[in-house]
Amino acid sequence: MKMLINVPETVVADALRGMAAAHPELTVDVENRVVVRKDAPVAGKVGLVSGGGSGHEPLHGGFVGPGMLSAACPGEVFTSPVPDQMVRAAAAVDSGAGVLFIVKNYTGDVLNFDMAAELAEDEGVQVAKVLVNDDVAVTDSLYTAGRRGTGATLFVEKIAGAAAEEGQPLERVTALAKQVNENSRSFGVALSAVTTPAKGSPTFDLPAGELELGIGIHGEPGRERRPMMTSGEIADFAVGAILDDLTPRNPVLVLVNGMGATPLLELYGFNAEVQRVLAERGVPVARVLVGNYVTSLDMAGASVTLCQVDEELLRLYDAPVSTPGLRWGM
């Protein structure tokens, strides 16, 4: 496989050095693997810290900045960051108002963030946690006990980040983050397997002419494998699976997310089919976001995330944000 890298062992460090050069508004500690907004800590503001394995960019480092995360901890590719990174991040962003850890439901992430919370609290930092577990495809997977955390992570980070930016207290920011997660569901589809730099070849076998329904962002198996389907058929299946699990009473935010190797031409076409299904099912749409936000290296495919919102959640979603991966209103 051809990759634009030097050697697999330095791929994360090289990416962080490049990120530092491209985004002087961030403090990028390459050695300790922590990305922090330059003005942290902000007086009176709750700090938001997230992180996970690299390979899902722009998640999470690309979502650090005003209106979203205060800091992010990138692990090795598809590997959880370690507690020391999280403690360092918490200390860097804590202004005395507390820190919220936003954790995707993968076993390594959960264990390490739990340990980091204990260590940070020993150092006098008040820590709260929210677990993102929005994927309806499978109950358990290779990496999780319970549902996986996927596209809803973006909505949690954006809405909680806006609340923190307003100076809302830790308890309220945490409650909003949990509300977003509880009102979000996702479903992903893979058209090709993912290739990690260390392996240099596809990590699972997906024959030509087939697709995997319900895939995870690390290439975990989904619900079933089928012959290739049309964009409309995939939208029917994916949105149907979400709405079987979530009955929106309010308008929804829609994320049509690329897995890394799917062109925008295809993603916008897929979004047209997603919107068709939602209209047929009588689900009102408040906002739509299309692009590569929660990726899986070079995997072709897409995921759909729906999040039902009230007026407050929609206001916070619309609030200004300025990060490398998400920017509006500033």
Side-chain angles (χ1 to χ4, degrees), residues 168-193:
Q168 297 197 37
L170 180 61
E171 294 79 6
R172 179 59 179 161
V173 174
T174 303
L176 286 165
K178 291 180 177 178
Q179 182 183 353
V180 173
N181 177 65
E182 290 165 0
N183 285 277
S184 298
R185 301 291 189 277
S186 297
F187 192 93
V189 179
L191 309 183
S192 72

Side-chain angles (χ1 to χ4, degrees), residues 188-221:
V189 179
L191 309 183
S192 72
V194 61
T195 302
T196 62
K199 192 170 188 294
S201 60
T203 57
F204 63 95
D205 177 42
L206 185 57
E210 295 186 3
L211 80 168
E212 183 90 19
L213 293 165
I215 198 74
I217 57 174
H218 306 94
E220 309 100 308

Side-chain angles (χ1 to χ4, degrees), residues 147-164:
R147 291 181 169 182
R148 302 175 291 213
T150 58
T153 312
L154 180 148
F155 291 146
V156 171
E157 293 177 354
K158 173 64 190 73
I159 290 171

Side-chain angles (χ1 to χ4, degrees), residues 76-246:
E76 291 298 325
V77 172
F78 292 178
T79 303
S80 172
V82 298
D84 283 352
Q85 292 173 257
M86 302 159 186
V87 173
R88 189 180 297 272
V93 304
D94 179 40
S95 68
V99 173
L100 176 62
F101 283 170
I102 298 173
V103 188
K104 300 189 304 303
N105 189 32
Y106 296 97
T107 302
D109 289 2
V110 172
L111 293 174
N112 286 344
F113 270 103
D114 282 349
M115 185 180 299
E118 294 179 7
L119 294 170
E121 288 174 343
D122 287 344
E123 296 182 5
V125 179
Q126 183 184 5
V127 177
K129 293 172 291 184
V130 61
L131 187 69
V132 182
N133 57 352
D134 55 304
D135 185 11
V136 303
V138 293
T139 301
D140 299 295
S141 75
L142 299 176
Y143 290 77
T144 65
R147 291 181 169 182
R148 302 175 291 213
T150 58
T153 312
L154 180 148
F155 291 146
V156 171
E157 293 177 354
K158 173 64 190 73
I159 290 171
E165 205 70 42
E166 291 180 349
Q168 297 197 37
L170 180 61
E171 294 79 6
R172 179 59 179 161
V173 174
T174 303
L176 286 165
K178 291 180 177 178
Q179 182 183 353
V180 173
N181 177 65
E182 290 165 0
N183 285 277
S184 298
R185 301 291 189 277
S186 297
F187 192 93
V189 179
L191 309 183
S192 72
V194 61
T195 302
T196 62
K199 192 170 188 294
S201 60
T203 57
F204 63 95
D205 177 42
L206 185 57
E210 295 186 3
L211 80 168
E212 183 90 19
L213 293 165
I215 198 74
I217 57 174
H218 306 94
E220 309 100 308
R223 286 188 179 183
E224 60 181 288
R225 189 166 291 185
R226 288 190 181 185
M228 187 60 196
M229 302 157 66
T230 67
S231 177
E233 291 169 339
I234 295 171
D236 286 329
F237 193 102
V239 178
I242 292 172
L243 296 180
D244 285 345
D245 202 86
L246 176 73

